[in-house]
Amino acid sequence: MSTGAIVAIAVGAVIVLAIILLLGRMARGRRVEHRRGQARELRQEASGHAQQAERVRASADEAAARAARRRAEADEQEAKARRESVEAREGEHAAQEILAARTRHDRAREIDPDTPDTAEREAADLDAQRTNGGGERVVAEQHRGSPAGGERG
């Protein structure tokens, strides 16, 4: 074999190795670029899922806030109903007390021989007393013959 042939084989081998290395690098570059593309797509999908999850969470937060407002309104209505029920019971109790007072006044009038008042006058006195805040002086003045009450004769 001649020297030229050995040199040609060596140069050919170096060229073949260079081509193989070049093709290997190109293939590696394509793989890297392909992986970068896949990573970009995954990031975009993840971003879309995160945005969707954020919308769902915001909607759930709004629903929870609405539910809390409705619970507060219901609690307020329940408290109002309880207050009104207590007021109604107090009104019933007051009516019972008024009835008891009138009954006692009637009984006192029946027993007292010096009482010239009629039941109607005494009921009017009780009503006046109730509308004046329970003022005993008003009733006492009417019985003493003040101009507001007049005298029975």
Side-chain angles (χ1 to χ4, degrees), residues 31-45:
R31 281 193 307 270
V32 168
E33 190 57 39
H34 178 70
R35 289 163 78 197
R36 283 183 184 144
Q38 285 180 326
R40 258 191 312 275
E41 288 176 15
L42 289 174
R43 283 187 192 102
Q44 287 174 349
E45 288 177 19

Side-chain angles (χ1 to χ4, degrees), residues 33-110:
E33 190 57 39
H34 178 70
R35 289 163 78 197
R36 283 183 184 144
Q38 285 180 326
R40 258 191 312 275
E41 288 176 15
L42 289 174
R43 283 187 192 102
Q44 287 174 349
E45 288 177 19
S47 177
H49 286 292
Q51 289 173 354
Q52 177 65 22
E54 186 61 30
R55 284 191 295 271
V56 169
R57 188 182 63 76
S59 176
D61 289 348
E62 289 173 10
R66 281 192 306 272
R69 277 194 307 274
R70 287 188 181 129
R71 275 193 302 274
E73 290 170 359
D75 291 346
E76 183 179 331
Q77 289 295 326
E78 182 181 353
K80 183 178 178 182
R82 278 194 300 262
R83 281 192 306 271
E84 290 173 355
S85 176
V86 167
E87 289 172 1
R89 283 194 297 269
E90 289 172 351
E92 291 170 1
H93 181 69
Q96 291 172 353
E97 290 295 322
I98 290 170
L99 180 60
R102 284 189 180 175
T103 302
R104 286 189 182 102
H105 280 291
D106 289 345
R107 180 69 181 136
R109 193 175 43 260
E110 290 172 4

Side-chain angles (χ1 to χ4, degrees), residues 3 21 101 107 116:
T3 314
L21 286 175
R107 180 69 181 136

Side-chain angles (χ1 to χ4, degrees), residues 10-24:
V11 170
V14 169
I15 291 175
V16 169
L17 283 175
I19 290 174
I20 290 174
L21 286 175
L22 183 62
L23 290 176

